[in-house]
Amino acid sequence: MPPQRRIDVVFDSVKRLQRIGATANLVNLLQKQHPADLADVFASLPDRNRRSVFDTLLDHNSRLAMESLAELEPEVGAAMLVDHPPDRLALLFQDLPSDDAAALLDNLPDDLSTSVIDLMRKKESGEVQHLLEYDDQTAGRIMNPNVFALAEDLTVGQAIEELQRSREVEMVFYLYVVDARRHLVGVVSLRRLLLVSPETPLKRVMTSDLISARVDTDQEEIAREVAAYNLLAIPVVDDENKLVGIITVDDVID
């Protein structure tokens, strides 16, 4: 079945199951869907039905519900959250990537957004507040600050061990290399690491000529570079060329 036809079938089924009050069947159907497909379903529902279906999923699978919400336009997603108390929102936002949380919080009423940030764990709220300091539609606002980086003095074998231990790898197709002061000095693909001897110095296999974005780069410019160079991700650096985040292709085509 073509993807769009499948989404249409899911959409019709969601409406029918909601109308007859078949909650268990509705939850079962929703939990079988990909977050991006659920976002399409949510976007097509009338506002009242959208909130009801989302809340039903939220009560049974909060992670999937929030992942789906992050696929929507931030103002649409935020509108689905405004009736929830700050303490619950704080718990939900803590499981989202910082860039997605920042986008949603930026579209909540100011008093609610402030309350949620105050209630979030210190680390997560600090990251979100930091992203909100950047101008809207810039690299700094949409980046994920939890970017994995490899030290330039590692061997390939040590780099692979670091990767295996890390829990903060969003995009493993590109592995960024930094010096002792976290200046961005190169990039290497995972495939390249797997094809050379573990004893090979990382400096020998990395590429030092790479495309990056400054934190104040406009989102549209980043989208053009991603399209022009067929990139899956782009690193973000500050004015000292220190690696501060990563933007993946889905962040700039929202």
Side-chain angles (χ1 to χ4, degrees):
M1 183 182 297
Q4 186 56 53
R5 173 57 182 158
R6 183 180 179 281
I7 293 173
D8 290 341
V9 170
V10 173
F11 174 70
D12 291 339
S13 299
V14 166
K15 289 195 300 181
R16 185 166 61 254
L17 292 172
Q18 184 189 34
R19 185 172 62 251
I20 65 176
T23 302
N25 300 89
L26 175 61
V27 170
N28 185 48
L29 174 63
L30 294 173
Q31 292 191 123
K32 293 179 179 178
Q33 311 309 314
H34 187 278
D37 292 337
L38 283 176
D40 286 340
V41 171
F42 288 143
S44 300
L45 288 168
D47 183 61
R48 185 177 64 179
N49 301 81
R50 180 190 305 145
R51 292 194 190 191
S52 176
V53 173
F54 171 76
D55 287 346
T56 297
L57 179 59
L58 192 65
D59 289 339
H60 292 82
N61 190 332
S62 61
R63 181 176 294 275
L64 178 58
M66 294 303 290
E67 288 176 351
S68 304
L69 199 71
E71 297 285 342
L72 291 164
E73 290 297 323
E75 59 271 20
V76 176
M80 296 162 66
L81 297 172
V82 292
D83 293 332
H84 291 277
D87 55 345
R88 188 181 192 194
L89 292 181
L91 291 173
L92 294 172
F93 279 130
Q94 285 172 175
D95 290 329
L96 279 180
S98 299
D99 52 338
D100 291 332
L104 289 167
L105 283 165
D106 197 34
N107 283 274
L108 290 176
D110 290 343
D111 56 343
L112 179 57
S113 178
T114 300
S115 297
V116 172
I117 291 174
D118 289 342
L119 289 167
M120 290 171 66
R121 290 192 299 261
K122 184 176 181 180
K123 179 178 183 293
E124 284 79 2
S125 63
E127 289 177 350
V128 170
Q129 285 179 302
H130 180 62
L131 294 181
L132 290 173
E133 291 174 358
Y134 294 108
D135 290 338
D136 195 24
Q137 303 297 312
T138 62
R141 177 64 72 89
I142 65 173
M143 71 181 181
N144 185 341
N146 296 315
V147 55
F148 177 77
L150 295 166
E152 64 177 346
D153 58 354
L154 296 178
T155 65
V156 166
Q158 290 171 328
I160 292 175
E161 290 176 0
E162 287 288 319
L163 177 61
Q164 291 172 334
R165 285 195 293 265
S166 176
R167 296 183 178 181
E168 295 186 343
V169 182
E170 177 172 343
M171 180 65 71
V172 298
F173 300 107
Y174 308 135
L175 298 169
Y176 301 109
V177 184
V178 296
D179 65 14
R181 298 180 61 189
R182 205 169 173 80
H183 294 115
L184 181 63
V185 296
V187 63
V188 62
S189 69
L190 178 60
R191 181 176 182 274
R192 176 66 172 153
L193 290 185
L194 297 176
L195 291 177
V196 298
S197 169
E199 292 77 26
T200 306
L202 190 57
K203 287 182 180 179
R204 189 179 298 174
V205 297
M206 75 179 190
T207 299
S208 56
D209 182 18
L210 72 162
I211 297 171
S212 62
R214 284 172 51 100
V215 290
D216 57 356
T217 303
D218 185 85
Q219 179 177 340
E220 291 299 321
E221 182 178 339
I222 297 171
R224 287 192 292 270
E225 288 196 339
V226 166
Y229 296 100
N230 197 28
L231 300 173
L232 294 174
I234 189 168
V236 182
V237 297
D238 63 13
D239 55 5
E240 296 181 354
N241 199 46
K242 291 183 178 179
L243 182 63
V244 294
I246 184 174
I247 295 173
T248 52
V249 62
D250 56 296
D251 293 323
V252 291
I253 62 172
D254 285 345

